[in-house]
Structure formats: structure tokens, C-alpha cells
Amino acid sequence: MDEIPASHPRYKSLVIREKMKEYALEGIVAMEGLIAHGRGEAFDYIFGEKTLPSALAAEKVAIAYLLNAKNPVISVNGNVAALAHTEIVEFSRITGIKVEINLFHRSEERIKKIQKLLENDGLKKVYGLSDAAEIPFIESKRRFADREGIYSADVVFIPLEDGDRAQALKKMGKIVISIDLNPFSRTTLSSDVSIVDELTRAINNLTNLYNDMKNMDKEELKEMIKGFNNAENRKQIVYYICKKFDEWNGRDYPY
Amino acid sequence: MDEIPASHPRYKSLVIREKMKEYALEGIVAMEGLIAHGRGEAFDYIFGEKTLPSALAAEKVAIAYLLNAKNPVISVNGNVAALAHTEIVEFSRITGIKVEINLFHRSEERIKKIQKLLENDGLKKVYGLSDAAEIPFIESKRRFADREGIYSADVVFIPLEDGDRAQALKKMGKIVISIDLNPFSRTTLSSDVSIVDELTRAINNLTNLYNDMKNMDKEELKEMIKGFNNAENRKQIVYYICKKFDEWNGRDYPY
């Protein structure tokens, strides 16, 4: 790995990029996953690599759903594992949310590697190791779901998802909470709660919010959910981008 | 390669993505190159995967510079070779522009592979095979330049460039023409002519424009260059993005 100076204005993004590259060489991140990561980078760069107020609002409502859920599950693919395996295991330990591996480029070998990453971080039970149940409406290998996990879940967290699966999970009647930097992706557009934020920041925020909110009254949580307008919240993100662009247009260098 | 249906609304982008992946497996595209490609994809998606009027305006002025140049060179890195080796060789054949290989992740092996790609397309002379001359102000391996090529060039075309090198070439007093989908990148911001367009579309446009413009009067070309405001042209691209976002905000699905 080339040395990245800690003083670099985009230090964290560059360190993450190096990490993604190493996980790709190990076979955990797919080649397509690297390209997808780049698409996310472009949006995060526009967001100034920080959580926008609208993203934090979505994260709060996501925790309200989680606290009201009977069988919540978080889905982990290669990019998610590479970027945030430690953060996700910690989030699961605190909240009790189940963790399920689900891969587009599914192979026994990749599943085992990701399982090992999660178990090394202390996760007791990894879902999605077998391909027993199938989600309807999907043709890709992402259709496989764990009967005790996503298949029967009421609330599903889907970070870095593809649009087909996000829509299929919605059609199955689940509450879908996405984490995706692209405010226009089909995943973002089809979720009940669309968190437009970088994955590790989002999971850290969700962990903190859970601790803040876990003793809240159920009715209060329901009010919070009822008061949230996901489409309007997403629009605020887009307004923010344009405001930023207008600012940048007036300057020579955005960084 | 998974079969992509030709009817897919983003067919071309998906085919290119598959191609990038294969070139990465062959060692021509670097892992970082895949991530960089994803960043470009995000912007091109916003542009509707077509050349904007402002991009075409920049392409016209680029050809005016090329027609007035004494020693013009186009720089080729791993991504450029993967995406457009055939188009670049054709552009060079028609215009006489020199083609020089320049790599951030420079190795003899990668240079040879790219040289072979270009020669198979019919390029007679490939520049940048030795590391004789060095561009000042750059620490990375991209500092190496061919004495007969970029080092002594008056006009340099730099597709998919990094910001450090773009700025170093400017400091050397060269006319710099960039091709980069990110309207805010340092490369875009430091070039004399910033073509914010997808590479293969840009090269095809440049080839057509060269044929249209090659018999134009030198004075007319100079007037064209003088009348062009690169900063203003770039701002038009940003206005376009925001207009698009406003449109999308009013709809449920952008595609």
C-alpha cells in the first residue's frame, strides 16, 4: 500500500480505497464492486464526505423501525463486508439485529471468506450460509435468502444494494431501509427509509442513535415513523447537492 | 461475461463495465482504475450518457488547438487504453497526433501490454516506452515523459488524468486539454480546455470534428480559441446537472 499522508484533505476516502483494493485482491470484493464503490465515492465527494442533516433524519427513523421490529436483519455483500465488517458486528451485538450474507457474485468460497471476517469480529451466528429459500421476482443469485433471516424478516437493512433486490423485498411486503450514496438509485427510490450516507458513517451513527433511543416509548417511535416523509427527505439531499454546486461554481477549486 | 440484453436502457455503460473488468483481470487496468471508472460512471449517468452541448463546444476548441499545434501528443493510461485504444489509434492516424503511454502504476509489463494493444490497432510509433525525461513537480511514476513526446509537446491531450500531473503540465507551459467526466476534478479545473464527456464519445466526436474543421483557415481557428471561455463553459455543465436534478426531483424514477 502506498503511504497516504494523514494531512491529505481526503485521507479517509483514500484509505478506504486502498482497503477496497486489498479486499478485491483477496476475492471478497468483486471487480464490479470496485466500480460500484467509485460511483459512491463521486456522490460522497459532493457531500463533502460528511453526513447531511437529511441523512441523519433518515437514520433516526431507521432506528425507530428497528426498535419496533420483530425480526430485523441486515444484509451483507462483498463491499459491505470489506468496508464495515467490524462496525456491523458491533451494531448487531448492541441491537440484536441478525446479519445475513447475500452476494450477487455468489460462490461458496466468497461466502466462507466473508463469514470468517464476521466471525473473527465476534459474530456468533451468521445467516445466509445455505441457499434454502428463494425471494421471488429476482433472477440473479441474490434471490437466495435464509429462511430464519431475510426471508422471514419484517424489517431489512440493505446497504449498497442492487435495485432489483430492493424492489423484490418491497414486493414481499417488508420494510426496506437502504444505505446508498446515490440519491437517484432504484434502491434509494424504492426504500421506505433511504439513508443517503457513506456506509461506515451511517453504521456508526445508527449505533449511537440506538443507544440514545433504545428507551424511548413505543408510541413515540411510531409517531416518529408516521411523521417521516422519505421522498421529501431525499429531495432535500438533492437540493443540497445543487446548493453545493452553485457554491463551487463561484470558486476555482472546491478543495 | 454475463449476457446483457441490448434492450437495457443503460446497455452501453454495462458493456463498458464488463470490458473494464476483463482488462483489470488482464492487468491493463489497475484496481484503482476500476474505482476511478465508477466515479466517472456516476457523472455520466447524470449526463444521461450523452454529450452535452457544452462538451461539444469544448471538443471543437480542442480541435482548433490541435490544428494549430506544432507537436501535439495524447496521453494514454490503463483506463484510456482499455476504454478506447482502437478509437485513439484511429484519431492518431487521421490527425497525426502522437500517442504516449503514461502510467501511475507504472511497470514494464503493463507498458508492454498497452503497447501491444495500440500496435495491434495499427499504431506505428508508441511514445513513452522509456523513462528518459522527467516532468518536474510530480513525485509519482507519472513524472516520466518521452523527450520526443509529452516532454517537448506544445499541446497535450490528457484523458482520465490525475490532478497533480495536469497541474504540472500546465506549470511547464503546455496547452492542456483534458477529458474527464467530473466537472469539479482538479484536472478539469486546471486545463485550458476541459472536455467533460465520456472518453469514447469524446474521441469519436473529436475525430468527426477534425474531419469537419481540418481545412479551416488558421485565423478562424485562432478566433475560435480566443472566443472560448473554459471556466464559463464548465459552469454550464454544472447548471445542466442541477436542472436535471430538479427534473428528477419531480419524478419517481429517473429511468
Side-chain angles (χ1 to χ4, degrees):
Chain A
M1 173 171 153
D2 298 329
E3 203 62 51
I4 301 160
S7 62
H8 194 288
R10 304 192 49 252
Y11 175 74
K12 208 183 155 206
S13 164
L14 298 179
V15 168
I16 289 176
R17 197 182 298 170
E18 281 294 324
K19 196 157 85 173
M20 290 302 282
K21 178 185 147 185
E22 315 228 325
Y23 279 115
L25 293 171
E26 282 178 37
I28 286 171
V29 167
M31 294 283 142
E32 292 83 352
L34 289 179
I35 297 178
H37 182 71
R39 285 197 298 280
E41 270 189 358
F43 284 104
D44 204 24
Y45 171 76
I46 293 166
F47 300 148
E49 290 163 5
K50 62 179 174 26
T51 300
L52 300 188
S54 305
L56 194 64
E59 285 158 2
K60 276 184 192 155
V61 175
I63 293 300
Y65 271 113
L66 177 62
L67 285 163
N68 270 339
K70 286 195 184 67
N71 186 25
V73 182
I74 186 164
S75 184
V76 169
N77 62 25
N79 279 30
V80 172
L83 288 165
H85 54 91
T86 308
E87 289 83 352
I88 281 174
V89 170
E90 175 67 2
F91 182 57
S92 169
R93 190 184 65 76
I94 291 172
T95 64
I97 194 171
K98 292 176 181 174
V99 179
E100 176 163 339
I101 299 173
N102 180 279
L103 306 176
F104 190 92
H105 300 279
R106 185 184 180 95
S107 75
E108 280 310 308
E109 200 194 340
R110 280 188 79 212
I111 290 178
K112 282 216 168 61
K113 282 180 181 169
I114 294 171
Q115 178 187 5
K116 208 177 146 192
L117 268 185
L118 297 167
E119 287 178 348
N120 282 349
D121 284 328
L123 188 67
K124 296 275 181 293
K125 163 90 179 146
V126 181
Y127 291 83
L129 302 181
S130 75
D131 49 10
E134 292 192 22
I135 296 172
F137 325 111
I138 316 182
E139 284 178 39
S140 78
K141 288 188 178 167
R142 298 207 68 176
R143 70 181 179 276
F144 298 116
D146 198 308
R147 211 166 276 283
E148 308 301 316
I150 287 171
Y151 195 78
S152 57
D154 53 347
V155 173
V156 193
F157 279 67
I158 48 168
L160 318 184
E161 190 66 29
D162 67 75
D164 283 346
R165 184 156 170 270
Q167 293 180 332
L169 292 169
K170 269 313 298 165
K171 280 191 202 161
M172 285 180 83
K174 300 181 189 305
I175 296 293
V176 170
I177 298 167
S178 61
I179 307 174
D180 184 339
L181 281 158
N182 181 351
F184 302 110
S185 72
R186 273 190 304 158
T187 299
T188 296
L189 291 163
S190 32
S191 303
D192 295 284
V193 182
S194 309
I195 298 172
V196 181
D197 198 1
E198 191 274 329
L199 179 64
T200 58
R201 286 198 310 268
I203 299 286
N204 285 333
N205 291 342
L206 289 169
T207 302
N208 293 335
L209 287 166
Y210 184 89
N211 286 328
D212 293 347
M213 292 168 64
K214 65 184 171 195
N215 297 321
M216 268 172 79
D217 186 79
K218 290 266 169 196
E219 285 311 308
E220 207 179 335
L221 295 171
K222 279 181 188 158
E223 282 305 310
M224 198 181 236
I225 288 168
K226 242 168 65 186
F228 179 71
N229 183 332
N230 193 53
E232 194 46 50
N233 191 64
R234 190 190 65 82
K235 284 184 188 181
Q236 292 301 324
I237 304 254
V238 181
Y239 292 142
Y240 174 88
I241 297 177
C242 288
K243 212 176 117 243
K244 201 80 204 165
F245 281 1
D246 280 341
E247 266 177 56
W248 285 352
N249 249 356
R251 276 191 274 164
D252 261 1
Y253 284 80
Y255 51 97
Chain B
M1 173 170 156
D2 299 329
E3 203 61 51
I4 301 161
S7 61
H8 193 289
R10 303 190 50 249
Y11 176 75
K12 207 183 156 205
S13 165
L14 298 179
V15 169
I16 288 177
R17 196 182 299 170
E18 281 294 323
K19 195 158 87 171
M20 290 303 282
K21 178 185 147 186
E22 315 231 323
Y23 279 115
L25 294 171
E26 282 178 38
I28 285 172
V29 167
M31 295 282 141
E32 292 84 351
L34 289 179
I35 297 178
H37 182 71
R39 286 198 298 280
E41 272 189 359
F43 285 104
D44 204 24
Y45 171 76
I46 294 167
F47 300 148
E49 290 164 4
K50 59 178 178 24
T51 300
L52 301 187
S54 306
L56 194 65
E59 285 158 0
K60 275 184 193 155
V61 175
I63 292 300
Y65 270 112
L66 177 62
L67 285 164
N68 270 338
K70 285 197 184 67
N71 186 24
V73 182
I74 186 162
S75 184
V76 170
N77 63 25
N79 280 29
V80 172
L83 288 166
H85 54 91
T86 308
E87 289 85 349
I88 281 174
V89 171
E90 175 67 2
F91 182 56
S92 170
R93 191 184 65 77
I94 290 173
T95 64
I97 194 171
K98 293 176 182 173
V99 179
E100 175 162 340
I101 299 172
N102 180 279
L103 306 176
F104 190 92
H105 300 279
R106 186 184 179 96
S107 75
E108 280 309 308
E109 201 195 340
R110 280 189 78 212
I111 290 178
K112 281 215 169 61
K113 282 179 181 170
I114 294 171
Q115 179 188 5
K116 209 178 146 192
L117 268 185
L118 296 167
E119 287 178 347
N120 281 350
D121 284 327
L123 188 66
K124 296 276 181 295
K125 163 89 180 149
V126 181
Y127 291 83
L129 302 180
S130 76
D131 49 11
E134 292 191 21
I135 296 172
F137 324 111
I138 316 182
E139 284 178 38
S140 77
K141 287 188 178 166
R142 299 206 67 176
R143 70 183 178 275
F144 297 116
D146 198 308
R147 211 166 275 283
E148 306 303 314
I150 288 172
Y151 195 79
S152 57
D154 54 347
V155 173
V156 192
F157 278 67
I158 48 170
L160 317 184
E161 189 67 27
D162 68 77
D164 283 348
R165 184 155 170 273
Q167 292 180 334
L169 292 169
K170 267 314 296 167
K171 281 191 202 159
M172 286 180 83
K174 299 180 190 307
I175 296 293
V176 170
I177 298 167
S178 61
I179 306 175
D180 183 339
L181 281 158
N182 181 351
F184 302 109
S185 72
R186 273 189 303 159
T187 298
T188 297
L189 291 163
S190 30
S191 302
D192 296 285
V193 182
S194 309
I195 298 172
V196 180
D197 199 2
E198 192 274 329
L199 179 64
T200 56
R201 286 199 309 267
I203 299 287
N204 285 333
N205 290 342
L206 290 169
T207 302
N208 292 335
L209 287 165
Y210 184 88
N211 286 329
D212 292 347
M213 292 167 64
K214 65 186 172 195
N215 297 322
M216 268 172 77
D217 185 80
K218 289 267 169 195
E219 284 312 307
E220 207 180 336
L221 295 171
K222 279 181 188 158
E223 282 305 309
M224 196 181 239
I225 289 168
K226 240 166 68 185
F228 179 71
N229 183 332
N230 193 52
E232 195 46 52
N233 191 64
R234 190 190 66 83
K235 284 185 188 181
Q236 292 301 325
I237 304 256
V238 181
Y239 292 142
Y240 174 88
I241 297 176
C242 288
K243 211 176 117 243
K244 201 83 202 162
F245 281 0
D246 281 341
E247 264 177 56
W248 285 351
N249 249 356
R251 274 191 276 163
D252 261 1
Y253 283 81
Y255 52 98

